[in-house]
Structures are given as structure tokens and as C-alpha cells.
């Protein structure tokens, strides 16, 4: 029987409300020893899932707060075990004293993610749903919230289960025909295998293609702001994030290193990276900055090319444009629209169809820029929230499953017997099992829950 764990589930700072959570066989008894209902009696004598008002006491029986408590029996709880929760005022001192009192009752400090890990081990959540808990906590945009909530509700699990069950049925049919040849079972033909493999391969291909969008929703789309020195890159960064994040001067080459900041443009979460101006320079420090800028551009999914619209294009602009075009997507921002225009907008637009005329100094054109970003990164409303792969572990498992299915199809096309073909199908099933947690090693489980916070 597992032991009983306890932890402060709210942030470790002063707040209006502080919550302590317990789970395990002694959770209700320990909470009842620390919390006394205002109307008398014991907490465990009150009904499950009811908020009870009363006093919270330290290990010496001294009153430390007035608050609320609730409890529930497993398996009908978040963790699948007996659970209890104390809601106090958010004083770190009060919460520490209450937690010490629970430890005196036999509970121990919960490890990071241990509540959710117990929910997974007790079958209350599968692995993708457990990962969605951490994603929901870390979500920085509405789109990320909807994605994580959908995954927590089982959207990705159901999508994977459809493929898994289809392949498992294929194996079961083959084994039934093989083991019971005298029974009246539908024959197991090559066309049956071909159809099932094609459907599963198509679904897994689409699932794997969702990884880029899922990763962008979760961590933000890396966007490198590039251009020649003094084009207004840092001013545009400041305008987009709403405060002076980067130093701005009239001296070219002020930015010597990359500056990173998150920014929400419409439904798109961008990870903006302000870079040093792209040019040849004899300054050793600036050379390092330019090298880092080029590296940021290589890793970016979007290049935000900033052009000074008040000055004629020069060799440094031409070089910056060529480097920006190496990025998967390019958005051109013609800056300084508050000054007389000196560039050919139509010629620029022919080269960069996604172009906005802006003034970082006055904030003009930022709405148009936002619309172009949303056009470049559509929200994917055609798929249900939560059906996207959102981390490298999920993508790797899906990739191995897809490779195994392709191996099965190639084996069939080369004339291999069904048992040889279905060996690869078994490999695909194993990989899909790792994705949702039907079959997963202890090491993988440890790595997943290591990123959780204490109390969750």
C-alpha cells in the first residue's frame, strides 16, 4: 500500500488563498487530525466533496488559521486514492505550520508531479493527459490553453486509440484465423491488410505533421527580427511587446547580442528574437553579435525582416533580405512610415508578399502586421483542440510507429507472408503504446514527471 503524501499546491509566496493537498490511505485521517469543523465533530464524519468551514491547527494543537477543508475516497478522486485538501489564507508561515502538522500525522512531502503520477499509475489519466496537466500550467496563450485542455480531456488519446485499436484488431483477426482454422472465421486476405495499413499510415502521417503546430502553440514560434543596423528592429520589438525591452539609440550597431521576448499577436504566440544588424564589421564584439543573429535566423520559423522605409535600399539591406529568405516564412516590415517614403513598396511586395508598412515610433501598422502573422500561422481550427502532438517524446513515438507501418507495407508489397508483415505491425503497436502509456518504461515516466511542480 502506498504511503500518504502532502504538499503545498499553491505558489510559495503570500496570497489570498493557500492550498495543501494530501493523497494516500491516511489522507483523510491526517486531515481530520489537523482540521476541526466549526460545528464540532471530525472532518471525516462530514460528507465527501463538501467544503467544511473550521479551524486549522499546528502539531501542538494551537489554532493557526480559519479555513475550509474537503475530502474524497478513492477511486473517485484525481489520484484514484483517498484525498483531502485544506484551504487556508496564503501566508507561507501558516501553510508551513499546517504542513508540519500533517507530517507529524505520518504524511510525507510529495515529490514534484507525484499527485499526477499517482493518477497515471492508478489509471485516472494516460500519459498524454498527464503531460497536458504540465502544459496547461505553463500555457501562455488562449490557444495553448485550449490545446492543453483538449489533450487533458483525452482528444489526443482518442485519436491515437483509433489507430491502435484498428491495428490490434488486425493482429487479433490474423491470430484467430491461424489458431482456429476449423472455426467459421472470415478469411484473412492481403486486401484486408493493405486497407488497414493504408488507413493507419495516413492517420499517423497527419498526426506527425501536427507536431510543428503543437510545439509552436506550446513554446511559441521562434521569430528572428533581422535587417541592417538602425532599421528599427529594437524599436519594433519594443512596440510589439509594449515596453522598452531593448535599448534603442540613433547609433548603428547598438544591439550587440540577441534579445528574446514573448509576444502575443492575435492567436499566435511568438518568441521574438531581436538580433544585431546584419553587416560586415571590423568590431570583434559586433562580429559575435552578427554570428549569433545568423544562428538565430537559422533556427527561426519566421523571419521578421525590417527595412528602413525612409532610406534607399543599400548593400546591407540586400544581404539581409537574402539571409531572411533562407527562413521557412518571411514577413517584411517597412518601418518609419512617419517619415517620407524612399523605397519602392511594390517591388518589395513582389519579393515579399507578406508586407506591412509600420511605424515602430508611433505604433502605426501593427494591426496589419498582426493579421499577416495570423495568415502565416493559421490556428488550425479544422482540428479539434488537443489533437496535436506537443512534445518531442510524443513525436518520436509517433515517428517510430509510422516507420514500422511503412515497413509493414513494404514487406507486403515485396510478397512477404502475413506473419512477417504483422511483425512490423506489432512494432507500431508498441510505439503507440509508449505514446499514451499503455507500455512505457520507468525511466521514461521519471523524465516526464520531473518537469512538474511540487503539489501537482
Amino acid at each position: 500500500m502506498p504511503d500518504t503524501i502532502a504538499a503545498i499546491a499553491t505558489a510559495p509566496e503570500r496570497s489570498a488563498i493557500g492550498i495543501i493537498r494530501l493523497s494516500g490511505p491516511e489522507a483523510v485521517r491526517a486531515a481530520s487530525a489537523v482540521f476541526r469543523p466549526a460545528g464540532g465533530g471530525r472532518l471525516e464524519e462530514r460528507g465527501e466533496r463538501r467544503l467544511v468551514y473550521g479551524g486549522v491547527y499546528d502539531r501542538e494543537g494551537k489554532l493557526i488559521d480559519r479555513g475550509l477543508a474537503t475530502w474524497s475516497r478513492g477511486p473517485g478522486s484525481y489520484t484514484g486514492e483517498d484525498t483531502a485538501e485544506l484551504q487556508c489564507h496564503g501566508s507561507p508561515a501558516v501553510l508551513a505550520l499546517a504542513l508540519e502538522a500533517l507530517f507529524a500525522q505520518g504524511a510525507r512531502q510529495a515529490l514534484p508531479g507525484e499527485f499526477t503520477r499517482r493518477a497515471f499509475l492508478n489509471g485516472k489519466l494516460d500519459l498524454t493527459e498527464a503531460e497536458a496537466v504540465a502544459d496547461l500550467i505553463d500555457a501562455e496563450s488562449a490557444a495553448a490553453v485550449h490545446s492543453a485542455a483538449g489533450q487533458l480531456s483525452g482528444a489526443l488519446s482518442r485519436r491515437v486509440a483509433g489507430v491502435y485499436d484498428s491495428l490490434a484488431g488486425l493482429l487479433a483477426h490474423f491470430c484467430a484465423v491461424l489458431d482456429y482454422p476449423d472455426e467459421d472465421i472470415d478469411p484473412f486476405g492481403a486486401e484486408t491488410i493493405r486497407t488497414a495499413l493504408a488507413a493507419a499510415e495516413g492517420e499517423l502521417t497527419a498526426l506527425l505533421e501536427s507536431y510543428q503546430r503543437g510545439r509552436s502553440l506550446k513554446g511559441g514560434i521562434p521569430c528572428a527580427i533581422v535587417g541592417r543596423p538602425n532599421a528599427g528592429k529594437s524599436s519594433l520589438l519594443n512596440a510589439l511587446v509594449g515596453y522598452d525591452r531593448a535599448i534603442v539609440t540613433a547609433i548603428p550597431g547598438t544591439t550587440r547580442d540577441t534579445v528574446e521576448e514573448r509576444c502575443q499577436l492575435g492567436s499566435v504566440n511568438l518568441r521574438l528574437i531581436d538580433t544585431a544588424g546584419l553587416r560586415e564589421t571590423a568590431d570583434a564584439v559586433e562580429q559575435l553579435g552578427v554570428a549569433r543573429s545568423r544562428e538565430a535566423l537559422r533556427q527561426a520559423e519566421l523571419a521578421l525582416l525590417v527595412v528602413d522605409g525612409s532610406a534607399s535600399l543599400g548593400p546591407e539591406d540586400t544581404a539581409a533580405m537574402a539571409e531572411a529568405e533562407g527562413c521557412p516564412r518571411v514577413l517584411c516590415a517597412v518601418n518609419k512610415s512617419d517619415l517620407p517614403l524612399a523605397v519602392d513598396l511594390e517591388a518589395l511586395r513582389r519579393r515579399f508578399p507578406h508586407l506591412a508598412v509600420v511605424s515602430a515610433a508611433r505604433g502605426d501598422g501593427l494591426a496589419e502586421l498582426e493579421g499577416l502573422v495570423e495568415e502565416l500561422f493559421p490556428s488550425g481550427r479544422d482540428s479539434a483542440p488537443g489533437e496535436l502532438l506537443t512534445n518531442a517524446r510524443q513525436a518520436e513515438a509517433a515517428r517510430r510507429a509510422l516507420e514500422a507501418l511503412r515497413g509493414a507495407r513494404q514487406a507486403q508489397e515485396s510478397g512477404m507472408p502475413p506473419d512477417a508483415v504483422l511483425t512490423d505491425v506489432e512494432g507500431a503497436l508498441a510505439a503507440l503504446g509508449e505514446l499514451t502509456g499503455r507500455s512505457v518504461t520507468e525511466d521514461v515516466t521519471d523524465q516526464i514527471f520531473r518537469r512538474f511542480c511540487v503539489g501537482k
Side-chain angles (χ1 to χ4, degrees):
M1 180 177 293
D3 49 6
T4 297
I5 56 175
I8 299 170
T10 43
E13 56 189 30
R14 287 188 300 170
S15 60
I17 303 296
I19 296 175
I20 297 177
R21 177 174 294 160
L22 299 97
S23 181
E26 297 297 315
V28 181
R29 184 199 59 76
S32 294
V34 172
F35 181 89
R36 302 174 192 171
R42 293 176 59 80
L43 174 63
E44 56 192 304
E45 295 171 352
R46 306 298 178 94
E48 293 184 60
R49 300 182 181 86
R50 291 180 57 192
L51 282 174
V52 180
Y53 176 71
V56 182
Y57 294 80
D58 65 14
R59 62 190 304 166
E60 298 176 356
K62 297 178 181 177
L63 179 69
I64 56 174
D65 200 0
R66 291 281 182 180
L68 301 171
T70 185
W71 64 275
S72 61
R73 296 288 185 195
S77 68
Y78 176 74
T79 63
E81 304 172 338
D82 290 356
T83 61
E85 196 171 274
L86 304 180
Q87 300 180 10
C88 314
H89 292 97
S91 159
V94 168
L95 293 171
L97 287 171
L99 192 60
E100 289 176 4
L102 293 171
F103 292 161
Q105 294 297 322
R108 68 161 174 82
Q109 174 67 53
L111 300 174
E114 192 166 4
F115 289 93
T116 303
R117 181 170 185 154
R118 290 190 177 199
F120 164 66
L121 295 174
N122 291 326
K124 305 297 289 187
L125 301 171
D126 73 12
L127 214 48
T128 61
E129 293 166 345
E131 288 174 313
V133 174
D135 290 348
L136 191 56
I137 293 170
D138 294 337
E140 296 182 349
S141 68
V145 167
H146 295 149
S147 176
Q151 190 166 318
L152 180 59
S153 298
L156 179 58
S157 303
R158 288 189 292 273
R159 186 174 183 180
V160 173
V163 181
Y164 188 100
D165 293 343
S166 172
L167 296 177
L170 193 68
L171 279 175
H173 187 183
F174 173 73
C175 292
V177 171
L178 186 67
D179 295 340
Y180 304 100
D182 298 330
E183 297 293 332
D184 186 17
I185 301 175
D186 292 337
F188 191 76
E191 187 59 31
T192 302
I193 301 177
R194 186 177 297 108
T195 302
L197 292 182
E201 186 177 340
E203 181 62 29
L204 283 181
T205 298
L207 182 63
L208 197 55
E209 288 174 351
S210 76
Y211 175 48
Q212 179 178 349
R213 192 171 57 195
R215 182 180 57 182
S216 298
L217 278 176
K218 178 181 171 183
I221 295 165
C223 171
I225 307 176
V226 296
R228 68 167 175 80
N230 216 32
K233 299 183 297 298
S234 297
S235 296
L236 185 56
L237 171 75
N238 291 342
L240 290 173
V241 301
Y243 72 101
D244 292 339
R245 174 64 178 85
I247 297 173
V248 176
T249 74
I251 303 171
T254 300
T255 302
R256 299 296 189 94
D257 201 353
T258 55
V259 176
E260 187 170 325
E261 190 63 46
R262 297 294 183 101
C263 172
Q264 185 77 21
L265 290 184
S267 62
V268 183
N269 184 19
L270 290 180
R271 186 152 49 86
L272 295 174
I273 307 163
D274 186 20
T275 65
L278 296 175
R279 66 172 177 177
E280 298 301 322
T281 176
D283 187 313
V285 177
E286 191 174 355
Q287 286 176 356
L288 290 173
V290 171
R292 292 188 179 185
S293 298
R294 291 193 169 108
E295 180 60 29
L297 188 56
R298 278 192 292 271
Q299 297 180 7
E301 294 181 33
L302 172 65
L304 180 52
L305 173 66
V306 182
V307 175
D308 183 350
S310 68
S312 300
L313 299 178
E316 292 175 346
D317 292 295
T318 302
M321 290 177 188
E323 297 208 43
E325 285 175 318
C327 198
R329 299 172 182 82
V330 183
L331 197 167
C332 181
V334 180
N335 192 25
K336 305 185 183 180
S337 64
D338 50 309
L339 301 175
L341 187 67
V343 298
D344 186 342
L345 284 181
E346 292 310 311
L348 274 174
R349 201 182 302 275
R350 284 194 295 272
R351 186 170 179 180
F352 304 106
H354 293 89
L355 181 146
V357 179
V358 304
S359 170
R362 295 194 313 204
D364 298 343
L366 297 186
E368 181 185 1
L369 190 70
E370 177 180 306
L372 290 172
V373 170
E374 290 197 299
E375 185 179 319
L376 284 166
F377 296 94
S379 60
R381 294 184 179 88
D382 54 322
S383 60
E387 287 192 343
L388 311 176
L389 301 177
T390 55
N391 63 54
R393 185 199 71 83
Q394 295 172 356
E396 172 61 17
R399 183 192 61 78
R400 285 189 283 110
L402 182 58
E403 286 182 353
L405 282 182
R406 287 172 176 166
R409 176 172 51 79
Q410 291 168 3
Q412 186 188 36
E413 291 174 352
S414 65
M416 300 290 286
D419 56 337
V421 174
L422 294 178
T423 297
D424 284 324
V425 174
E426 289 179 339
L429 282 170
L432 290 176
E434 290 181 24
L435 202 160
T436 58
R438 291 193 183 192
S439 57
V440 64
T441 65
E442 186 70 17
D443 288 343
V444 171
T445 306
D446 288 342
Q447 291 174 13
I448 290 169
F449 290 100
R450 196 174 297 147
R451 63 183 283 246
F452 278 71
C453 54
V454 174
K456 193 57 186 173

